[in-house]
Amino acid sequence: MTNEIIGVYFHKRWRVSALQRFAERGIQLWDAIARRDFSPLLIIGVWLLVSVPPALCHGYHYVEGLTVTIAQSALDDGNWLTPHLYNLRWIERPTLLSWIIAAMSMPFGHVSPFVARLPIILSLLAGAFLIRNALRRVASAGAAMFGALAFLSSPVVIRYYVTAVADLPLAVILFATFLTWWNSYTTGRISVGRWFGIGCLLAIAALLKGPQPVAYFALGIVAFAALTSTWWQLPGLFLASLLAAVPIGLWYANVFVPGDQGEWLRYTRLSPNGFTEPHPFANAIDFFFESIPATLLVVPLLLTGAKSIGKRVPRHFIMALGCYALTCTFVILFWPAEINPRYILPMVLPLCVLAGIAYDALLERWPTLVAGAISITLGLLGYAAIHSASDGLLTPAYNHSKVDGAQISELVARAQAPVYRIGWDTALNELAYFAHRTTTIDQNAIPTIAKPAWIVVPADAVSAIVARGNGHIKSRLVMDRAVLLRLE
């Protein structure tokens, strides 16, 4: 019996040792590649592989049609400062991304999918290199490459690789703002000019999606100042916040008409009508898995303390990263409204820097954990690469909007007539491919429009509208959540 127990013990120990040796070999290979001069080119290659084919091939999805239509309306009608969806005024928030896309599209006269997504994929690359450069100063080459690729492989980032919404550029600009602040803080003094530059970056971030996401930077710096008793930073932070408030305040003042405040409260999740019971535990689990593989190393680092952290890591750097990443995220955890994982995209970049620091700190104690994080990173990037390749070689994902948009164009070309739609979001992605003017009307206005005409209506309203048409309204194209009707 004793020999059997000893045999089992040595067998298990051998398996653990074999696993550890395998992990160490994998880490050695990873570090050898990272130390080569071509490691930045490797990051660029991964970025090209996972982002460019979908940017070229994907049909519009999610709310890309919103961004694209606002840009196209600016080109067609000159509605730049006050965003419009065709003829419909849309003042939920400032739309700097749409303005940039419209400006880039001016030479062509129309917005193409690749141009609409170009700011997004460039932000993706910029984010990866911001992380890598931040880590190269404080960690090993292997840690720097891990941090950059952990960003590209985070599930929440993969989801927005080529989605023309402002969340990813916003996250990158806010992190660039944080690094600008940190590089000055380490000198022991932050000049007025540097605070002015920080304020300009915050203004750009606010114009992308409204003032609320700027809280990632502001709350993070306040928390850091409180923990380190560096209260001398607060006047500079106030100055930067004031500078950031000027352009966005002017925008709100320019577009405001009485009644808009209700829409702004709804969008900022401050309207009582949108309040729900918070789910912090479920949100925390969701955020953890959306940020893997970075969180797989960050959590053990934060729980086990800083005993193994290298001397190259500046004093308070981990605290600063943690305050920036987690203070606002903690507020979001308990926010009494529906929470979307994209709200925590600003958290992912500092977490990836922390993960790079954890890579070095945990390497000796837990090499299998580090190797596991590398494996997950490569697995997620492999998934993204396969998904990207299938878009280029096989049937592109989210292709329905592109196909339906082409069919709308073909049907209208055969029987030309004015095109209308019901509701601001009806066939938003499909009509973004339609190169002719579309007018948004209320459902009750259908009997008043001149016939013949085309009208796009929500799928759940088709039966009632067709019934009221007394045989003069016929369905011509059924889409995902909308139907194209012909009025004779």
Side-chain angles (χ1 to χ4, degrees):
M1 179 64 71
T2 303
N3 291 335
E4 290 179 4
I5 294 174
I6 293 174
V8 170
Y9 169 76
F10 278 108
H11 182 63
K12 289 182 178 179
R13 186 175 179 181
W14 179 86
R15 284 192 298 174
V16 170
S17 300
L19 180 62
Q20 186 167 332
R21 287 197 301 271
F22 181 76
E24 289 171 351
R25 289 196 193 98
I27 293 169
Q28 288 171 1
L29 177 61
W30 178 274
D31 287 340
I33 294 172
R35 286 193 296 268
R36 299 296 181 105
D37 293 337
F38 60 77
S39 60
L41 295 178
L42 178 62
I43 294 171
I44 294 173
V46 171
W47 165 75
L48 285 171
L49 177 61
V50 301
S51 66
V52 172
L56 291 168
C57 301
H58 265 193
Y60 289 132
H61 60 282
Y62 191 43
V63 290
E64 284 191 292
L66 176 68
T67 305
V68 171
T69 303
I70 290 173
Q72 191 63 55
S73 295
L75 290 175
D76 293 342
D77 304 322
N79 294 317
W80 287 82
L81 285 180
T82 304
H84 277 67
L85 299 172
Y86 306 108
N87 60 303
L88 185 66
R89 181 172 171 270
W90 192 88
I91 46 79
E92 183 178 86
R93 55 178 170 79
T95 54
L96 179 58
L97 178 60
S98 291
W99 301 336
I100 293 172
I101 293 169
M104 294 169 59
S105 303
M106 288 180 72
F108 314 107
H110 69 279
V111 179
S112 68
F114 183 76
V115 170
R117 291 158 176 160
L118 189 57
I120 311 304
I121 63 175
L122 291 178
S123 298
L124 186 68
L125 181 64
F129 272 94
L130 280 176
I131 293 165
R132 179 185 181 276
N133 292 343
L135 281 167
R136 286 300 287 131
R137 301 177 182 181
V138 301
S140 66
M145 190 168 76
F146 174 77
L149 294 182
F151 171 68
L152 293 177
S153 64
S154 296
V156 69
V157 176
I158 290 175
R159 193 175 299 125
Y160 294 99
Y161 273 170
V162 294
T163 305
V165 292
D167 299 270
L168 190 56
L170 170 69
V172 172
I173 289 172
L174 285 176
F175 189 60
T177 308
F178 168 82
L179 292 178
T180 301
W181 163 81
W182 173 256
N183 290 335
S184 291
Y185 172 81
T186 54
T187 66
R189 179 178 175 272
I190 308 178
S191 66
V192 173
R194 185 54 61 96
W195 281 118
F196 183 84
I198 289 171
C200 291
L201 288 172
L202 292 177
I204 294 171
L207 288 172
L208 278 168
K209 209 179 173 188
Q212 270 189 313
V214 175
Y216 257 98
F217 178 81
L219 290 180
I221 302 305
V222 169
F224 180 80
L227 291 173
T228 58
S229 298
T230 54
W231 302 107
W232 53 266
Q233 299 188 81
L234 296 189
L237 178 61
F238 176 77
L239 172 64
S241 301
L242 191 63
L243 289 170
V246 170
I248 194 167
L250 290 173
W251 180 84
Y252 279 112
N254 179 74
V255 304
F256 176 75
V257 297
D260 285 348
Q261 58 271 26
E263 176 66 9
W264 292 338
L265 287 173
R266 180 203 63 78
Y267 170 70
T268 54
R269 306 298 192 272
L270 295 174
S271 172
N273 294 333
F275 286 168
T276 61
E277 183 181 352
H279 302 283
F281 184 70
N283 289 337
I285 294 174
D286 193 19
F287 295 171
F288 177 88
F289 286 103
E290 290 286 357
S291 305
I292 275 182
T295 48
L296 197 63
L297 296 186
V298 171
V299 171
L301 176 74
L302 297 180
L303 292 178
T304 58
K307 293 180 181 179
S308 301
I309 293 175
K311 295 180 180 179
R312 294 172 59 190
V313 180
R315 184 169 178 262
H316 291 156
F317 188 43
I318 290 178
M319 182 186 297
L321 287 166
C323 288
Y324 172 75
L326 301 177
T327 305
C328 191
T329 302
F330 182 80
V331 175
I332 294 173
L333 282 177
F334 290 89
W335 198 261
E338 183 182 353
I339 301 300
N340 192 305
R342 63 192 170 94
Y343 299 163
I344 54 98
L345 265 168
M347 176 189 77
V348 177
L349 288 94
L351 278 188
C352 289
V353 177
L354 282 171
I357 295 172
Y359 177 100
D360 286 343
L362 303 175
L363 204 54
E364 291 186 9
R365 285 186 293 167
W366 295 326
T368 52
L369 180 63
V370 174
I374 292 173
S375 299
I376 293 174
T377 299
L378 295 176
L380 288 168
L381 289 175
Y383 161 79
I386 293 171
H387 195 274
S388 173
S390 67
D391 278 351
L393 302 175
L394 303 175
T395 303
Y398 309 108
N399 202 36
H400 295 297
S401 62
K402 186 189 299 187
V403 173
D404 290 340
Q407 288 183 308
I408 292 173
S409 299
E410 184 180 348
L411 288 169
V412 174
R414 289 178 185 172
Q416 295 187 7
V419 180
Y420 300 88
R421 67 172 185 153
I422 305 297
W424 74 270
D425 61 343
T426 302
L428 198 60
N429 290 321
E430 292 82 357
L431 288 172
Y433 289 100
F434 182 61
H436 303 283
R437 183 175 297 278
T438 302
T439 304
T440 307
I441 62 172
D442 184 81
Q443 184 171 326
N444 296 325
I446 293 177
T448 66
I449 62 177
K451 302 172 180 61
W454 296 95
I455 184 165
V456 184
V457 302
D460 56 6
V462 172
S463 299
I465 292 173
V466 171
R468 282 188 296 177
N470 296 321
H472 297 289
I473 301 178
K474 297 180 180 179
S475 172
R476 292 297 180 88
L477 177 64
V478 178
M479 292 169 275
D480 184 21
R481 287 178 291 179
V483 177
L484 175 67
L485 304 176
R486 174 75 177 180
L487 281 67
E488 303 290 352

